[in-house]
Amino acid sequence: MILKCVQPLLRHTDVPPRVKESFILTGYRFPNYSLRDCLLSAFRPTNETGNFWTHFLPVFVFSYYLVEVFGWEGAPESDAPFFYPLWTYVLGVFALLMASSTAHLLNSMSLVVREVCFFVDYGSISAYTFGSSLAYYHYIHPRGLVAGTGDPSGSRVDLNPGPPQGVPVVPDAVPGICWFFETLYLPLASCVAIICVLSCCNTRQSWTKHRYVIRTFVFLLPFFVSSTPIFYRLLTRSPYANAPSSLAASTSGHTFFYRHCLWLLVSAMVNISKVPERLAPGWFDIMGHSHQWFHCFTFLSILDELEMIKSEVRAILLYPPPAPPSRLPGPTAASTYGVMLLLQATIISIIMWFSWNANRIYGGQREKPEKKLQ
């Protein structure tokens, strides 16, 4: 009964060009919806309904797979410094999923709101990629092997001061590689995150012909930068190579990483190709179009990434490798939350600039009929 009060849906010929999506012919909401109309539209078939639910429901799925970490044997309290990198990663994932679902739900309020929604969406993707980098840095770094796992205060406590008898010590990482990770890795990851936000926001004002290719490419770039600790791990001997058999289930991070890569590749192909709606325009307007599949595949990649990080955390808890000559200091609030907050302040300033520019361009078009927007 309530849904009957919502504005009618329109065809692609009845909405402003900024609202049209390639090969999607029906199910459009005109950019004049109230907040109430937008919220109610989550429960009616529009071309954005699936986009909303495919990133809103995963918030709860992700939480389900996350919480088991804090109940593992030997795990410190959930608020211990050992888990700071994990929490920054979780915040990045939640920001991505919530910003994406909210953007798809609220973008029909006006043309300006639509632009701002997707600017925030792009910023949240960078928050997620940098959160991943922080987790990799502390849990998968060649010299990371986070200290202080048994002490909630975060003091440097070696749970295993040396390898068990008969287990050879894993050689230290290559000095040049360690210098890169310790000096350049996080600054480079933050710079790439900022570049991605700038590029994707700019595709909403220029480069529109190839916007999907550009957006896909600039968000694959952080993957290659963030994943360098994993690439190094795959090319060298694992510090857990001689761990007891009880750790076998905790040394499968490479399997999760390969699947993580597979889902990212599939999501990129779907996002660029616009399949299946390209093959049958109008048939997948409401359910099954490429952006919904893009959401599903990217979330599958996030789940496998979470499992990979969990496998490393479990390995550290069960069998801390012998400390290298110069182990990294344990995580602190400043080196995790503080760094993430600084990056987000920069991203927010970028979003505000693009939002101001969008308001200057589209602010006067909010109430104009479609024919005057052509």
Side-chain angles (χ1 to χ4, degrees), residues 80-86 134 137-139 144-149 153-156 328-337:
F82 174 74
F83 283 128
Y84 286 176
L86 180 62
L134 283 171
Y137 180 78
H138 287 283
Y139 298 129
L145 309 176
V146 180
T149 55
S153 67
S155 60
R156 294 185 57 175
L328 292 174
T332 64
S335 66
T336 52
Y337 300 123

Side-chain angles (χ1 to χ4, degrees), residues 88-108:
T88 53
Y89 167 71
V90 170
L91 291 174
V93 172
F94 283 172
L96 166 66
L97 297 177
M98 291 304 299
S100 175
S101 56
T102 302
H104 286 292
L105 187 63
L106 303 183
N107 67 62
S108 64

Side-chain angles (χ1 to χ4, degrees), residues 344-355:
Q344 293 316 299
T346 304
I347 290 176
I348 289 172
S349 66
I350 294 172
I351 292 173
M352 290 178 64
W353 187 88
F354 276 99
S355 298

Side-chain angles (χ1 to χ4, degrees), residues 29 41 45 123 189 195 237 277 325 351:
R29 302 171 299 171
S41 69
I195 291 171
R237 182 182 177 185
E277 66 267 23
I351 292 173

Side-chain angles (χ1 to χ4, degrees), residues 42-60:
F43 304 98
R44 67 189 299 228
T46 75
N47 56 25
E48 291 282 24
T49 303
N51 293 336
F52 167 75
W53 289 108
T54 49
H55 261 180
F56 181 73
L57 292 179
V59 171
F60 304 97

